[in-house]
């Protein structure tokens, strides 16, 4: 069982930056991939960014060039650096880990709220 805990959510003005952290209870290289999802009110949860065990990253088109996913194995932490934030980035952001592959996520954090004011 992997326990994930997000932190860093806040209220920020449009154009600002925010960094989210996801602390894992286990070695993050023991899972196939880790990712950040988000869910806005009334919307479906969407994949924002992921990083697989080999270090390959992928991003939602709308955040490319603005968000960066990274990791620190020694700290068992995955980060999401968010720059040039827009009101449409407002959502609850979730950290997730996949045991196998990159499409099915087995472990989830509780989420952290990001609100971008215009």
């Amino acid at each position: 069982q992997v326990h994930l805990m997000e932190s860093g959510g806040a209220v920020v003005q449009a154009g600002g930056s925010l960094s989210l952290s996801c602390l894992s209870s286990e070695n993050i290289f023991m899972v196939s991939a880790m990712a950040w999802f988000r869910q806005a009110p009334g919307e479906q949860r969407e994949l924002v960014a992921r990083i697989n065990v080999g270090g390959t990253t992928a991003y939602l088109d709308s955040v490319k060039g603005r968000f960066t996913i990274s990791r620190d194995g020694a700290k068992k932490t995955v980060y999401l650096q968010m720059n040039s934030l827009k009101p449409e980035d407002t959502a609850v952001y979730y950290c997730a880990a996949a045991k196998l592959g990159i499409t099915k996520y087995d472990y989830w954090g509780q989420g952290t709220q990001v609100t971008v004011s215009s």
Side-chain angles (χ1 to χ4, degrees):
Q1 185 74 12
V2 177
H3 296 282
L4 304 172
M5 180 176 292
E6 304 95 337
S7 62
V11 178
V12 61
Q13 286 191 332
S17 297
L18 205 57
S19 181
L20 304 182
S21 298
C22 171
L23 176 64
S24 171
S25 63
E26 306 297 326
N27 183 344
I28 61 174
F29 293 104
M30 295 299 291
V31 295
S32 180
M34 295 197 69
W36 287 95
F37 288 77
R38 69 185 181 188
Q39 187 168 21
E43 302 290 332
Q44 288 191 333
R45 188 175 296 185
E46 60 183 358
L47 176 65
V48 176
R50 71 162 183 261
I51 183 165
N52 70 13
V53 67
T56 301
T57 59
Y59 296 91
L60 181 68
D61 282 348
S62 62
V63 308
K64 284 180 181 177
R66 300 189 298 122
F67 290 11
T68 303
I69 188 170
S70 62
R71 63 189 177 186
D72 185 330
K75 295 182 178 180
K76 296 190 288 186
T77 300
V78 176
Y79 305 96
L80 185 67
Q81 176 66 40
M82 305 185 292
N83 299 327
S84 302
L85 283 161
K86 305 176 181 180
E88 52 263 43
D89 294 318
T90 295
V92 177
Y93 283 71
Y94 298 90
C95 178
K99 290 191 291 187
L100 293 172
I102 58 174
T103 57
K104 180 181 179 295
Y105 289 82
D106 306 283
Y107 308 108
W108 294 83
Q110 82 289 349
T112 187
Q113 177 71 47
V114 172
T115 302
V116 184
S117 62
S118 57

